Amino acid sequence: DIQMTQSPSSLSASVGDRVVITCQASQDITMHLNWYQQKPGKAPKLLIYDVKTPETGVPSRFRGSGSGTNFTFTITSLQPEDVATYYCQQCDDLIGTFGQGTRLDI
Amino acid sequence: EVQLVQSRAALKKPGESLRISCRASGYLFNNYWIAWVRQMPGKGLECMGIIYPGDSDTRYSPSFQGQVTMSADTSLTTAFLQWDSLKASDTATYYCVRQSMRNSLDIWGQGTVVVVSS
């Protein structure tokens, strides 16, 4: 199985801050990396697929980058509604595996 | 509208059986993998496995092999997740999710809460 190591596990930031979350794969997954947002009490939502392609309707402040084994998720200007837990997921395998999640507070 | 609607919450006792459902609408059910994702209370997301309704090809994550059974009924456009003998450790929220052609999980059901307690 491909293991995904996500960091940090939690972070607190202020409105307007730039927030960065990283995700490392245990082996090369090329560009097969997705990012999800889960707000409290809700189902997760796909934000970014294939490392950097935003899902339809996702605000432009959410960005993804990276390749191979190292990936980064950035919120360029944090908004109050971004309070959530964020997960990376590799989809190089048919059954994807998730990172441990990053809980983001304001 | 593309959507997945899951069955209601379930409260069961250890040793009981359970089948939860996930009804798809708004797209060609046969042509997309459906994944099941577990979220234990206060924990992260775990992919349990996937099923391709078109031919019932099913793949389980090693941690869940032999613990659950996935199935699909194309006439009902519904996927199922089944336990034969529940344990307290099965207490969790279970999501069904459509896997897109790019292998991202793009459409999520609302989740089914399963509580197993004596």
Side-chain angles (χ1 to χ4, degrees):
Chain A
D1 284 7
I2 300 174
Q3 307 301 315
M4 304 301 293
T5 303
Q6 187 176 338
S7 62
S9 57
S10 65
L11 73 101
S12 185
S14 300
V15 173
D17 281 356
R18 181 183 183 91
V19 171
V20 177
I21 298 169
T22 63
C23 192
Q24 184 171 49
S26 59
Q27 65 189 65
D28 189 341
I29 58 171
T30 60
M31 299 286 282
H32 300 142
L33 191 283
N34 309 313
W35 292 94
Y36 302 85
Q37 176 194 62
Q38 186 178 30
K39 294 187 176 182
K42 300 293 187 182
K45 171 187 170 184
L46 175 65
L47 290 182
I48 292 173
Y49 62 92
D50 290 350
V51 174
K52 59 184 179 182
T53 305
E55 183 73 336
T56 302
V58 171
S60 59
R61 64 181 180 275
F62 296 105
R63 306 257 180 96
S65 64
S67 66
T69 61
N70 292 296
F71 303 90
T72 300
F73 173 79
T74 302
I75 305 174
T76 56
S77 178
L78 187 65
Q79 300 302 303
E81 61 266 31
D82 299 336
V83 170
T85 300
Y86 293 85
Y87 296 92
C88 62
Q89 181 223 11
Q90 66 80 16
C91 55
D92 196 62
D93 285 342
L94 188 54
I95 300 177
T97 48
F98 292 93
Q100 302 93 322
T102 296
R103 180 174 174 175
L104 174 58
D105 293 320
I106 291 182
Chain B
E1 179 190 6
V2 176
Q3 60 179 351
L4 298 171
V5 178
Q6 297 185 231
S7 48
R8 67 174 65 182
L11 175 59
K12 307 292 280 186
K13 291 181 166 50
E16 291 186 332
S17 63
L18 175 66
R19 188 176 77 164
I20 62 175
S21 65
C22 169
R23 181 170 52 84
S25 60
Y27 73 97
L28 293 175
F29 178 67
N30 289 22
N31 294 3
Y32 291 81
W33 293 89
I34 290 284
W36 287 95
V37 174
R38 183 176 78 173
Q39 188 168 39
M40 300 178 76
K43 301 299 183 183
L45 305 172
E46 303 171 270
C47 190
M48 304 171 70
I50 54 174
I51 182 167
Y52 191 77
D55 62 5
S56 292
D57 186 4
T58 307
R59 318 284 178 89
Y60 295 96
S61 176
S63 301
F64 295 93
Q65 181 79 47
Q67 307 304 307
V68 295
T69 303
M70 298 175 189
S71 60
D73 186 327
T74 55
S75 67
L76 300 176
T77 66
T78 299
F80 300 96
L81 180 65
Q82 179 176 326
W83 294 261
D84 291 336
S85 181
L86 286 159
K87 303 183 282 286
S89 57
D90 293 318
T91 294
T93 300
Y94 294 88
Y95 295 100
C96 65
V97 198
R98 189 182 80 165
Q99 187 152 304
S100 75
M101 299 300 181
R102 297 179 183 274
N103 284 351
S104 59
L105 302 176
D106 65 346
I107 304 295
W108 291 70
Q110 83 275 21
T112 296
V113 176
V114 174
V115 176
V116 184
S117 175
S118 54

